[in-house]
Short mmCIF file of all heavy atoms in Angstrom, two decimals:
data_model
loop_
_atom_site.label_atom_id
_atom_site.label_comp_id
_atom_site.label_asym_id
_atom_site.label_seq_id
_atom_site.Cartn_x
_atom_site.Cartn_y
_atom_site.Cartn_z
N GLY A 245 5.55 -1.48 5.07
CA GLY A 245 7.00 -1.49 5.29
C GLY A 245 7.77 -1.73 4.01
O GLY A 245 8.80 -1.08 3.76
N TYR A 246 7.30 -2.64 3.16
CA TYR A 246 8.00 -2.93 1.91
C TYR A 246 8.01 -1.69 1.01
O TYR A 246 9.02 -1.41 0.34
CB TYR A 246 7.34 -4.07 1.14
CG TYR A 246 7.15 -5.36 1.91
CD1 TYR A 246 6.27 -6.33 1.47
CD2 TYR A 246 7.84 -5.60 3.11
CE1 TYR A 246 6.08 -7.51 2.16
CE2 TYR A 246 7.65 -6.78 3.82
CZ TYR A 246 6.75 -7.73 3.34
OH TYR A 246 6.56 -8.90 4.02
N LEU A 247 6.91 -0.98 0.97
CA LEU A 247 6.83 0.22 0.12
C LEU A 247 7.78 1.30 0.61
O LEU A 247 8.47 1.94 -0.19
CB LEU A 247 5.39 0.73 0.08
CG LEU A 247 4.37 -0.19 -0.60
CD1 LEU A 247 2.95 0.37 -0.44
CD2 LEU A 247 4.69 -0.38 -2.08
N LEU A 248 7.81 1.51 1.92
CA LEU A 248 8.74 2.49 2.47
C LEU A 248 10.19 2.07 2.22
O LEU A 248 11.03 2.89 1.84
CB LEU A 248 8.51 2.65 3.98
CG LEU A 248 7.20 3.29 4.44
CD1 LEU A 248 7.10 3.24 5.96
CD2 LEU A 248 7.09 4.72 3.94
N LEU A 249 10.48 0.78 2.41
CA LEU A 249 11.83 0.27 2.21
C LEU A 249 12.25 0.40 0.75
O LEU A 249 13.39 0.81 0.46
CB LEU A 249 11.91 -1.19 2.66
CG LEU A 249 13.22 -1.93 2.40
CD1 LEU A 249 14.39 -1.21 3.07
CD2 LEU A 249 13.11 -3.37 2.91
N ALA A 250 11.37 0.06 -0.18
CA ALA A 250 11.71 0.15 -1.60
C ALA A 250 12.07 1.57 -1.99
O ALA A 250 13.02 1.80 -2.75
CB ALA A 250 10.53 -0.35 -2.44
N GLN A 251 11.33 2.55 -1.47
CA GLN A 251 11.64 3.94 -1.79
C GLN A 251 13.01 4.33 -1.23
O GLN A 251 13.80 5.01 -1.91
CB GLN A 251 10.56 4.87 -1.25
CG GLN A 251 10.82 6.34 -1.60
CD GLN A 251 9.69 7.26 -1.21
OE1 GLN A 251 8.58 6.81 -0.90
NE2 GLN A 251 9.96 8.56 -1.21
N LYS A 252 13.30 3.92 0.00
CA LYS A 252 14.60 4.23 0.59
C LYS A 252 15.73 3.57 -0.20
O LYS A 252 16.78 4.18 -0.44
CB LYS A 252 14.65 3.78 2.04
CG LYS A 252 13.76 4.58 2.98
CD LYS A 252 14.28 5.99 3.19
CE LYS A 252 13.52 6.69 4.31
NZ LYS A 252 14.00 8.09 4.52
N LEU A 253 15.53 2.32 -0.62
CA LEU A 253 16.54 1.63 -1.41
C LEU A 253 16.78 2.36 -2.73
O LEU A 253 17.91 2.50 -3.20
CB LEU A 253 16.10 0.19 -1.69
CG LEU A 253 16.09 -0.77 -0.50
CD1 LEU A 253 15.36 -2.05 -0.86
CD2 LEU A 253 17.52 -1.09 -0.05
N TRP A 254 15.71 2.83 -3.34
CA TRP A 254 15.81 3.53 -4.63
C TRP A 254 16.52 4.87 -4.48
O TRP A 254 17.41 5.21 -5.26
CB TRP A 254 14.41 3.75 -5.21
CG TRP A 254 14.39 4.62 -6.42
CD1 TRP A 254 14.28 5.98 -6.46
CD2 TRP A 254 14.51 4.21 -7.78
NE1 TRP A 254 14.32 6.44 -7.74
CE2 TRP A 254 14.45 5.37 -8.58
CE3 TRP A 254 14.65 2.97 -8.40
CZ2 TRP A 254 14.54 5.32 -9.97
CZ3 TRP A 254 14.73 2.93 -9.78
CH2 TRP A 254 14.68 4.09 -10.54
N GLU A 255 16.13 5.62 -3.46
CA GLU A 255 16.62 6.98 -3.32
C GLU A 255 17.98 7.07 -2.64
O GLU A 255 18.80 7.93 -3.01
CB GLU A 255 15.61 7.81 -2.52
CG GLU A 255 14.29 8.02 -3.26
CD GLU A 255 13.29 8.81 -2.44
OE1 GLU A 255 13.41 8.83 -1.19
OE2 GLU A 255 12.36 9.39 -3.03
N GLN A 256 18.24 6.20 -1.66
CA GLN A 256 19.47 6.33 -0.87
C GLN A 256 20.37 5.11 -0.91
O GLN A 256 21.53 5.18 -0.50
CB GLN A 256 19.11 6.68 0.58
CG GLN A 256 18.33 8.00 0.69
CD GLN A 256 18.04 8.38 2.13
OE1 GLN A 256 18.91 8.24 2.99
NE2 GLN A 256 16.83 8.84 2.40
N GLY A 257 19.83 3.99 -1.37
CA GLY A 257 20.66 2.83 -1.65
C GLY A 257 21.29 2.13 -0.48
O GLY A 257 20.61 1.61 0.41
N SER A 258 22.62 2.13 -0.43
CA SER A 258 23.39 1.24 0.44
C SER A 258 23.04 1.28 1.93
O SER A 258 23.09 0.24 2.59
CB SER A 258 24.89 1.51 0.25
OG SER A 258 25.21 2.86 0.47
N PRO A 259 22.68 2.41 2.55
CA PRO A 259 22.36 2.36 3.98
C PRO A 259 21.18 1.45 4.32
O PRO A 259 21.03 1.03 5.46
CB PRO A 259 22.05 3.82 4.33
CG PRO A 259 22.75 4.62 3.28
CD PRO A 259 22.66 3.79 2.04
N TYR A 260 20.36 1.16 3.32
CA TYR A 260 19.15 0.38 3.56
C TYR A 260 19.25 -1.04 2.99
O TYR A 260 18.30 -1.81 3.09
CB TYR A 260 17.94 1.12 2.98
CG TYR A 260 17.71 2.44 3.67
CD1 TYR A 260 18.32 3.61 3.21
CD2 TYR A 260 16.94 2.51 4.83
CE1 TYR A 260 18.15 4.81 3.88
CE2 TYR A 260 16.78 3.70 5.51
CZ TYR A 260 17.38 4.85 5.03
OH TYR A 260 17.22 6.04 5.70
N ALA A 261 20.39 -1.37 2.41
CA ALA A 261 20.59 -2.70 1.82
C ALA A 261 20.98 -3.69 2.91
O ALA A 261 22.15 -4.05 3.09
CB ALA A 261 21.67 -2.62 0.73
N LYS A 262 19.99 -4.13 3.67
CA LYS A 262 20.21 -5.05 4.79
C LYS A 262 18.89 -5.72 5.14
O LYS A 262 17.94 -5.70 4.35
CB LYS A 262 20.79 -4.30 5.98
CG LYS A 262 19.99 -3.07 6.42
CD LYS A 262 20.78 -2.25 7.45
CE LYS A 262 20.05 -0.96 7.81
NZ LYS A 262 20.86 -0.11 8.73
N GLU A 263 18.82 -6.32 6.31
CA GLU A 263 17.66 -7.10 6.70
C GLU A 263 16.73 -6.25 7.56
O GLU A 263 17.17 -5.43 8.37
CB GLU A 263 18.09 -8.34 7.49
CG GLU A 263 18.97 -9.30 6.69
CD GLU A 263 20.38 -8.78 6.47
OE1 GLU A 263 20.95 -8.17 7.42
OE2 GLU A 263 20.92 -8.95 5.35
N TRP A 264 15.40 -6.52 7.42
CA TRP A 264 14.41 -5.72 8.12
C TRP A 264 13.29 -6.59 8.67
O TRP A 264 12.77 -7.45 7.96
CB TRP A 264 13.79 -4.68 7.18
CG TRP A 264 14.80 -3.75 6.59
CD1 TRP A 264 15.56 -3.95 5.46
CD2 TRP A 264 15.18 -2.47 7.10
NE1 TRP A 264 16.39 -2.88 5.25
CE2 TRP A 264 16.19 -1.95 6.23
CE3 TRP A 264 14.77 -1.70 8.20
CZ2 TRP A 264 16.77 -0.70 6.44
CZ3 TRP A 264 15.36 -0.47 8.40
CH2 TRP A 264 16.34 0.03 7.53
N ASN A 265 12.93 -6.37 9.93
CA ASN A 265 11.77 -7.02 10.55
C ASN A 265 10.55 -6.12 10.45
O ASN A 265 10.65 -4.90 10.69
CB ASN A 265 12.03 -7.30 12.04
CG ASN A 265 12.96 -8.46 12.27
OD1 ASN A 265 13.17 -9.30 11.40
ND2 ASN A 265 13.53 -8.53 13.47
N PHE A 266 9.40 -6.72 10.16
CA PHE A 266 8.13 -5.99 10.18
C PHE A 266 7.11 -6.84 10.94
O PHE A 266 6.62 -7.85 10.42
CB PHE A 266 7.63 -5.71 8.75
CG PHE A 266 8.54 -4.82 7.96
CD1 PHE A 266 9.37 -5.35 6.99
CD2 PHE A 266 8.58 -3.45 8.19
CE1 PHE A 266 10.23 -4.54 6.25
CE2 PHE A 266 9.43 -2.63 7.47
CZ PHE A 266 10.26 -3.17 6.50
N GLY A 267 6.83 -6.45 12.16
CA GLY A 267 5.89 -7.20 12.98
C GLY A 267 5.13 -6.27 13.91
O GLY A 267 5.40 -5.07 13.98
N PRO A 268 4.16 -6.82 14.65
CA PRO A 268 3.35 -6.00 15.54
C PRO A 268 4.09 -5.64 16.82
O PRO A 268 5.16 -6.18 17.12
CB PRO A 268 2.16 -6.92 15.85
CG PRO A 268 2.79 -8.28 15.83
CD PRO A 268 3.80 -8.23 14.71
N ASP A 269 3.51 -4.74 17.57
CA ASP A 269 4.02 -4.47 18.91
C ASP A 269 3.82 -5.71 19.78
O ASP A 269 2.96 -6.55 19.51
CB ASP A 269 3.30 -3.27 19.53
CG ASP A 269 3.66 -1.96 18.83
OD1 ASP A 269 4.81 -1.85 18.35
OD2 ASP A 269 2.81 -1.06 18.76
N ASP A 270 4.61 -5.83 20.84
CA ASP A 270 4.59 -7.02 21.68
C ASP A 270 3.19 -7.35 22.21
O ASP A 270 2.82 -8.51 22.35
CB ASP A 270 5.54 -6.86 22.87
CG ASP A 270 6.99 -7.10 22.48
OD1 ASP A 270 7.24 -7.49 21.32
OD2 ASP A 270 7.87 -6.89 23.34
N ALA A 271 2.41 -6.31 22.49
CA ALA A 271 1.07 -6.53 23.05
C ALA A 271 0.15 -7.28 22.09
O ALA A 271 -0.85 -7.88 22.51
CB ALA A 271 0.44 -5.20 23.44
N ASP A 272 0.48 -7.26 20.81
CA ASP A 272 -0.37 -7.90 19.81
C ASP A 272 0.14 -9.27 19.39
O ASP A 272 -0.40 -9.90 18.48
CB ASP A 272 -0.51 -7.00 18.58
CG ASP A 272 -1.43 -5.83 18.84
OD1 ASP A 272 -2.37 -5.99 19.64
OD2 ASP A 272 -1.22 -4.76 18.25
N ALA A 273 1.19 -9.77 20.04
CA ALA A 273 1.61 -11.16 19.83
C ALA A 273 0.76 -12.02 20.75
O ALA A 273 0.96 -12.03 21.98
CB ALA A 273 3.09 -11.31 20.13
N LYS A 274 -0.22 -12.72 20.18
CA LYS A 274 -1.23 -13.41 20.97
C LYS A 274 -1.24 -14.92 20.70
O LYS A 274 -0.85 -15.36 19.61
CB LYS A 274 -2.62 -12.85 20.64
CG LYS A 274 -2.80 -11.37 20.94
CD LYS A 274 -2.80 -11.11 22.44
CE LYS A 274 -3.16 -9.65 22.75
NZ LYS A 274 -3.15 -9.39 24.20
N PRO A 275 -1.74 -15.71 21.65
CA PRO A 275 -1.89 -17.15 21.42
C PRO A 275 -2.97 -17.45 20.39
O PRO A 275 -3.91 -16.67 20.19
CB PRO A 275 -2.29 -17.69 22.80
CG PRO A 275 -1.97 -16.61 23.77
CD PRO A 275 -2.09 -15.33 23.03
N VAL A 276 -2.85 -18.60 19.78
CA VAL A 276 -3.82 -19.04 18.78
C VAL A 276 -5.24 -19.05 19.34
O VAL A 276 -6.19 -18.57 18.71
CB VAL A 276 -3.43 -20.44 18.26
CG1 VAL A 276 -4.57 -21.06 17.47
CG2 VAL A 276 -2.17 -20.36 17.41
N GLN A 277 -5.40 -19.59 20.54
CA GLN A 277 -6.74 -19.68 21.13
C GLN A 277 -7.37 -18.31 21.31
O GLN A 277 -8.57 -18.12 21.09
CB GLN A 277 -6.66 -20.41 22.48
CG GLN A 277 -8.02 -20.62 23.14
CD GLN A 277 -7.91 -21.46 24.41
OE1 GLN A 277 -6.94 -22.18 24.59
NE2 GLN A 277 -8.90 -21.36 25.28
N TRP A 278 -6.57 -17.32 21.70
CA TRP A 278 -7.08 -15.95 21.86
C TRP A 278 -7.62 -15.43 20.54
O TRP A 278 -8.70 -14.83 20.49
CB TRP A 278 -5.95 -15.06 22.39
CG TRP A 278 -6.34 -13.66 22.76
CD1 TRP A 278 -6.66 -13.20 23.99
CD2 TRP A 278 -6.44 -12.53 21.87
NE1 TRP A 278 -6.95 -11.85 23.94
CE2 TRP A 278 -6.82 -11.42 22.65
CE3 TRP A 278 -6.23 -12.36 20.50
CZ2 TRP A 278 -7.00 -10.15 22.11
CZ3 TRP A 278 -6.42 -11.09 19.95
CH2 TRP A 278 -6.80 -10.01 20.74
#
Side-chain angles (χ1 to χ4, degrees):
Y246 306 163
L247 294 174
L248 292 175
L249 174 58
Q251 182 174 346
K252 291 290 189 180
L253 290 168
W254 172 272
E255 293 178 337
Q256 300 183 42
S258 55
Y260 297 89
K262 53 190 175 184
E263 298 73 39
W264 302 85
N265 285 341
F266 297 103
D269 290 329
D270 281 355
D272 286 329
K274 299 291 187 180
V276 167
Q277 183 175 339
W278 187 96

